[in-house]
Amino acid sequence: MRKFIFYSLLSILSLSCNAQTKENSKSDYDAELVGLYEKFRDSLYNDDFTISRKVIKEFKHKLYQILEETESSNFKFDNLEQKIKIASSEDKRLMIFSWNESNGMNRRDYNSAFRYNDGNKVYVRDLVNTHKNPEVTDVNVGYFEIYTIEKNNYLVLGYGTYGGGQEFYTARSLSFKKETFSDCNACFNGKNILVLRKTRGNKDSIIYNPERMSLTYPEYIEDEKSGFMKPTGRIITLSYKNGMFSMGIE
């Protein structure tokens, strides 16, 4: 009986130690990524671009390594998500990481990567504009929200700034094909990517309603005198049907 109790306690202790080891491991890579990113930001502020280029490569390599080798249920980025933007889909299959690579105080130049589990394999790639369309340049954003539209198809919302008091929100419809995510083809009222350009100072943004599967945002036009964007007072709604977001004006 004593032997049974002894080995039972030993087994419990062993399981507890293993759990603590895994927890420490999570904290270790979280701290390592934060350390690299902070070193990168410091080098930018000091205009040491030789160091910044080297460190951001190290940060990206380490991030990709962790995303490829770690089960998503074991992710713990408590400190990193205070430094960069991390968005996750409700089905837990897609995660997007966005980090600012600009040394400006107002303008932000984001780079993004995704981790996607299709049920058979984990893919970690750069998230880019697959159309390479010259008129669609507003993809350097921090992605903050992911919605599942259909199987392997996601709506992602992002935010970015131009500097000089200008900012913008984006919506992208991404489908997983050939081991990467591709933008839709003219699914936002004839555009591959929806962009709301505006002047800072108000809370206007692109809002998605999952129940109605619709996007709503205020219409803005450029003021000829100031060059800033100003609202027209109209609200635009894009409703999703058959793979397209079609427009109606309220």
Side-chain angles (χ1 to χ4, degrees):
M1 184 65 179
R2 289 180 179 177
K3 287 184 177 181
F4 174 77
I5 295 175
F6 172 76
Y7 285 115
S8 296
L9 291 173
L10 188 63
S11 177
I12 294 173
L13 180 61
S14 177
L15 290 173
S16 177
C17 289
N18 287 337
Q20 186 62 47
T21 299
K22 290 181 179 180
E23 192 66 23
N24 289 339
S25 177
K26 297 177 189 178
S27 300
D28 288 345
Y29 68 63
D30 187 34
E32 184 176 359
L33 287 170
V34 168
L36 286 170
Y37 188 69
E38 288 182 338
K39 184 178 179 181
F40 165 70
R41 298 303 306 171
D42 288 342
S43 64
L44 280 182
Y45 292 136
N46 294 325
D47 293 331
D48 194 341
F49 301 116
T50 301
I51 295 296
S52 65
R53 285 192 292 268
K54 177 183 178 182
V55 176
I56 197 60
K57 288 182 179 179
E58 293 178 12
F59 169 81
K60 188 175 178 179
H61 174 77
K62 188 62 181 180
L63 175 64
Y64 277 40
Q65 182 182 37
I66 292 168
L67 296 179
E68 289 171 348
E69 297 178 356
T70 309
E71 289 292 331
S72 59
S73 59
N74 291 331
F75 284 146
K76 186 177 181 181
F77 297 108
D78 292 348
N79 295 311
L80 183 63
E81 66 183 359
Q82 303 300 317
K83 303 292 182 179
I84 71 172
K85 295 184 182 298
I86 303 175
S88 300
S89 61
E90 189 176 357
D91 61 12
K92 307 299 182 183
R93 298 175 70 180
L94 173 62
M95 298 181 72
I96 298 178
F97 296 74
S98 305
W99 57 92
N100 182 18
E101 294 190 2
S102 171
N103 64 340
M105 296 300 292
N106 296 318
R107 182 182 177 87
R108 297 169 188 169
D109 188 11
Y110 285 98
N111 196 355
S112 295
F114 71 83
R115 180 192 190 273
Y116 183 65
N117 188 339
D118 68 354
N120 298 309
K121 184 178 177 181
V122 171
Y123 299 88
V124 180
R125 302 280 192 277
D126 291 344
L127 184 60
V128 297
N129 173 17
T130 55
H131 285 289
K132 305 298 182 184
N133 190 332
E135 69 181 29
V136 182
T137 59
D138 300 304
V139 295
N140 292 331
V141 301
Y143 296 97
F144 59 87
E145 201 74 65
I146 303 174
Y147 297 95
T148 303
I149 302 178
E150 297 175 356
K151 183 179 180 181
N152 298 330
N153 183 213
Y154 298 88
L155 177 73
V156 297
L157 303 181
Y159 169 80
T161 64
Y162 297 114
Q166 303 292 312
E167 63 183 3
F168 61 97
Y169 287 86
T170 65
R172 300 174 70 183
S173 177
L174 300 175
S175 298
F176 191 73
K177 301 174 182 177
K178 297 181 179 180
E179 300 189 357
T180 193
F181 276 99
S182 299
D183 287 286
C184 66
N185 185 19
C187 69
F188 294 106
N189 197 41
K191 300 291 185 179
N192 303 328
I193 299 174
L194 175 64
V195 181
L196 169 63
R197 298 180 179 88
K198 57 188 285 289
T199 302
R200 281 189 233 175
N202 59 57
K203 297 182 179 180
D204 289 341
S205 63
I206 299 174
I207 304 297
Y208 179 66
N209 186 320
E211 294 183 359
R212 295 185 177 182
M213 298 188 74
S214 64
L215 290 162
T216 303
Y217 58 97
E219 181 183 56
Y220 273 73
I221 60 173
E222 184 175 346
D223 183 83
E224 293 182 359
K225 293 183 178 180
S226 67
F228 287 96
M229 304 299 292
K230 65 179 183 179
T232 65
R234 295 196 298 177
I235 301 298
I236 299 176
T237 298
L238 303 180
S239 299
Y240 184 81
K241 186 177 180 180
N242 299 325
M244 308 291 286
F245 283 93
S246 303
M247 186 176 73
I249 301 180
E250 298 179 356

